[in-house]
Amino acid sequence: MLNKLFRLFFPAQHPLEIVRKYNIPSLIRFKFETKNGYIIATSVDLPGFITEAKNPQELLEMINDGILSYFDVPKRVGDIVHNQMSIDGFGMVSINENPQ
């Protein structure tokens, strides 16, 4: 709810515009592993990048948040860079940009 209100005042830019403007690589490789009920993502392309989540949907959201933080993208600019991703062992995961 709070994010919807925030986005009313600061509409999110298109993910491709964010990628271009902040020089985010179009291809970022991730390594996934599961440990103690969590899915952990690291990236050789982004040194020091690590995030974790309880499920694939949440992991995709955390990866997006991590990429935006890694490239110093202000929160007002947007919430996603990738709206879908193939996660090893879980298949294709997508973000529903318009939840009902």
Side-chain angles (χ1 to χ4, degrees):
M1 178 70 170
L2 197 54
N3 192 47
K4 285 183 180 184
L5 184 60
F6 181 79
R7 286 289 162 226
L8 182 65
F9 292 103
F10 300 101
Q13 292 180 13
H14 191 278
L16 292 177
E17 179 63 22
I18 296 170
V19 166
R20 185 195 60 75
K21 185 174 181 180
Y22 291 92
N23 298 314
I24 299 172
S26 58
L27 176 65
I28 301 172
R29 296 169 295 165
F30 291 95
K31 178 183 173 193
F32 304 104
E33 63 181 89
T34 55
K35 188 172 184 180
N36 298 328
Y38 286 88
I39 309 165
I40 302 165
T42 57
S43 175
V44 297
D45 297 326
L46 305 175
F49 184 98
I50 184 168
T51 192
E52 66 181 13
K54 283 269 190 190
N55 60 61
Q57 181 72 32
E58 183 181 296
L59 184 64
L60 181 55
E61 292 170 10
M62 296 297 291
I63 287 172
N64 274 293
D65 186 57
I67 291 171
L68 293 168
S69 295
Y70 193 93
F71 288 94
D72 295 322
V73 178
K75 186 65 178 165
R76 72 180 178 281
V77 172
D79 300 315
I80 64 169
V81 178
H82 302 290
N83 61 357
Q84 65 180 15
M85 178 179 286
S86 178
I87 298 177
D88 295 343
F90 296 95
M92 190 61 72
V93 179
S94 298
I95 290 179
N96 181 1
E97 295 182 59
N98 298 312
Q100 300 299 321

